[in-house]
Amino acid sequence: MKRNDSIRVWTGNDACAEGAIAAGVNFFAGYPITPASEISEVLARRLPEEGRTFVQMEDEIASLSSVVGASFTGMKAMTATSGPGFSLMQENLGFAIEAEIPCVIVDVQRVGPASGVATHPSQGDIMQARWGTHGDHPIIALAPYSVRETYDLTIRAVNLAEKYRSPVLLLSDAVIGHMSENMVVPASDEIEIINRTKPKVSPEEYKPYLAVGGEVPPMASYGDGYIWHTTGIIHDETGFPCTSNPNMIDFQVRRLHDKIAFNRDDIVTVDMRQMDDAEIAVVAMGSVARSAVKAVKMARDRGIKAGLIRLVTIWPFPDEEIIQYTSQLKAFVVPELNLGQIQGQLRQTVEGRTKIVGVNRIDSKLITPEQILESIQNEVKA
Amino acid sequence: MSAAKIPDISKYLTRLPHIWCSGCGNGIVVGAMLRSLEKLNLEQSQVAVVSGIGCSGRAGTYLNLCGFQPTHGRALAFATGVKLGNPKLHVIVLAGDGDTLSIGGNHFIHACRRNIDVTLVLFNNSSYGMTGGQHAPTTPEGYKTTTTPYGNIDGNFDAVDLAKSSGATYIARSTIYHASQLSDLIAKGISHKGFSVIEAMTICPTQYGRMNKLGGAVEMMETLRKDAVSAKKAAGMDTDALKEKLLTGELYVKEGATEYTEAVQNVIAKAQKRRAQ
Ligand SMILES: Cc1ncc(C[n+]2csc(CCOP(=O)(O)OP(=O)(O)O)c2C)c(N)n1
């Protein structure tokens, strides 16, 4: 029977865990940290019920290590953490990017820096998500703004990881992770599942990194009969180091970027609301977008032509989608729970064509619709 | 032993020549490991080698086996995922003493504690080779390295003791002088169900040897020969005579302890039974 009668009251963290199960995640490793622990707790109970593997590792470094290790054998693997743990994962995140190993890292953001404020929300990891690991690398990051969207984007993150042989980040936050909403759980036949492409050539012919442009090289699982090796050292199409060949180093690192850049239209999602005639655009993501929705409505009620650009994909940044509005707008209003991380990126995108103002909080409290409205009203008057 | 009996390991090797210095012991350890695979007659595609970062970790690059070289110190944590992901694979970790006992020390004791069926071949050259001969958690007190120019003041770990107190269920040690014993012990470690640690005492004449005036490769191998005492022989010796000696052979074996991938399967069985009720 279809489970179309299954309305659940879930927290965002519950929805993340259940989304992982629906997506086919069969390996999860984690280390406890507020406000992400419930994802581990739910999966510790649920994954074994589904015949799948849960393990609590000795730290976040080991969590991501084992996730990537499991992915080598064909598992759909995921971990979940918050700021301090996300910091510990950065080195292995770089390895997963370079070795092109699918995996999902959920970061339920809390206030930083350091231990910060463990139980309160933040959007302070947007730049850590982009540049936390060293070296030039591409990354995919998604940000849900509701419980249902946490479920959907967890599935999407797993699918994108498989499709692009890449780590994918899900940036939730303490509000989205801990709040409860009711949601209809989609029937399994309504859920799109993507599995990584396996090689079609014989084991003798297989080269684990043979690809050009935006292609994604097929990935054999260890144990499938394909013998292949890789390393975090920059390697050629065979997976072996090519550090004495500058042309090959250049080609391979650019290929990693092209893999994401050439497919950005498939990866980038933006939720545009009332943007057709908008003069003021609010750009928001995650929990802050909930206040932004209300603020735009309040502005419209007052006769102000306001619209919302809700970033669902954060990285790669939805620049093309935003640039099309620059000439019609008086200003972008950018509310965020940090001191301007999205705003800084938006400035790069807009290149001075349109005014940008921030609404920023780092006191562990949420940005209210009224705060955003005030900023919108100021820009109308300006 | 006649030459004909030495197993042919050429099918496991690829991408040679290697980058190791002349006189380096790493090749002997790798050879011993590969002969153990040949002896056990394992299906080549069913072996996965996760290697550390260091001169020793570079070994994986020369092997025609599934495997990868991830980040410094984390090989055992990656290997844990590989083994849990596909418990049928024979998972072998090749890593240095610095990699395993310093930056990866936490993963080492936790891999022991979980008793996961992974075999660690620990290359102990008493120092960090790759980065230029700095001191490692295995460098004895007083010895010189590039970061202990006045002699090492840090205490050192005994990997065997650490493995034993952390829960590993097969622990052995040998040296590159005793290559055939080393190979046998690695084979036993692979056959053992549970976490096995084989400490391979090796040499770095280029850095550690030179800095401490230990002679060239031949002299350093001769020292390993003289220092090594088999565990069986040691049983009849008094503690004073054993003071400067290196115990070799099987040093601890515990059969029948629950192995980790089996424990995970037990959890799954329990959860599914409870759910069905
Ligand atoms: C996070 C990190 N820190 C430091 C290094 C530099 N590094 C590379 S190998 C190595 C030590 C290797 O020593 P050991 O594990 O004993 O192996 P050996 O080279 O002696 O075989 C270090 C410190 C690194 N690669 N990554």
Side-chain angles (χ1 to χ4, degrees), chain A residues 110 124 192 226 294 324 364:
Chain A
R110 62 192 237 182
E192 187 196 12
Y226 288 76
K294 177 111 187 265
Q324 56 174 321
S364 82

Side-chain angles (χ1 to χ4, degrees), chain B residues 15-79:
Chain B
R15 297 270 167 163
L16 292 166
H18 58 71
I19 58 162
W20 296 317
C21 306
S22 58
C24 174
N26 287 347
I28 299 177
V29 183
V30 174
M33 190 278 282
L34 294 178
R35 279 190 291 280
S36 76
L37 297 187
E38 191 57 19
K39 267 179 258 177
L40 294 171
N41 199 20
L42 302 179
E43 173 77 54
Q44 202 162 339
S45 70
Q46 299 306 306
V47 177
V49 174
V50 185
S51 28
I53 299 277
C55 297
S56 44
R58 200 69 188 214
T61 311
Y62 309 122
L63 304 181
N64 186 21
L65 293 168
C66 277
F68 59 97
Q69 188 182 27
T71 47
H72 189 33
R74 319 299 173 198
L76 284 169
F78 278 91

Side-chain angles (χ1 to χ4, degrees), chain B residues 180-243:
Chain B
S180 84
Q181 179 198 37
L182 179 59
S183 178
D184 289 343
L185 292 171
I186 295 171
K188 283 185 179 159
I190 294 171
S191 305
H192 173 79
K193 209 177 188 60
F195 189 63
S196 46
V197 180
I198 292 88
E199 186 178 29
M201 303 306 295
T202 180
I203 56 171
C204 176
T206 302
Q207 293 170 138
Y208 185 76
R210 190 159 43 91
M211 276 181 282
N212 292 293
K213 301 191 168 58
L214 302 176
V218 175
E219 288 79 12
M220 289 181 82
M221 294 220 9
E222 179 60 17
T223 306
L224 285 176
R225 183 189 70 77
K226 277 195 273 183
D227 286 354
V229 176
S230 75
K232 275 187 204 136
K233 194 171 165 201
M237 290 165 67
D238 62 48
T239 30
D240 262 6
L242 281 173
K243 235 178 182 173

Side-chain angles (χ1 to χ4, degrees), chain A residues 86-87 89-91 93-94 97 124-141 169 171 253 257 314-317 341 344-345 348:
Chain A
F86 190 43
S87 294
M89 291 181 183
Q90 294 302 328
E91 192 195 12
L93 173 59
I97 293 167
D125 297 354
I126 289 168
M127 280 299 158
Q128 181 174 216
R130 181 65 197 87
W131 291 119
T133 192
H134 59 279
D136 277 299
H137 59 273
I139 195 69
I140 300 173
L169 311 176
L171 297 179
V253 178
H257 288 262
I314 309 301
W315 305 116
F317 196 70
Q341 298 191 21
Q345 177 58 45
Q348 270 189 41

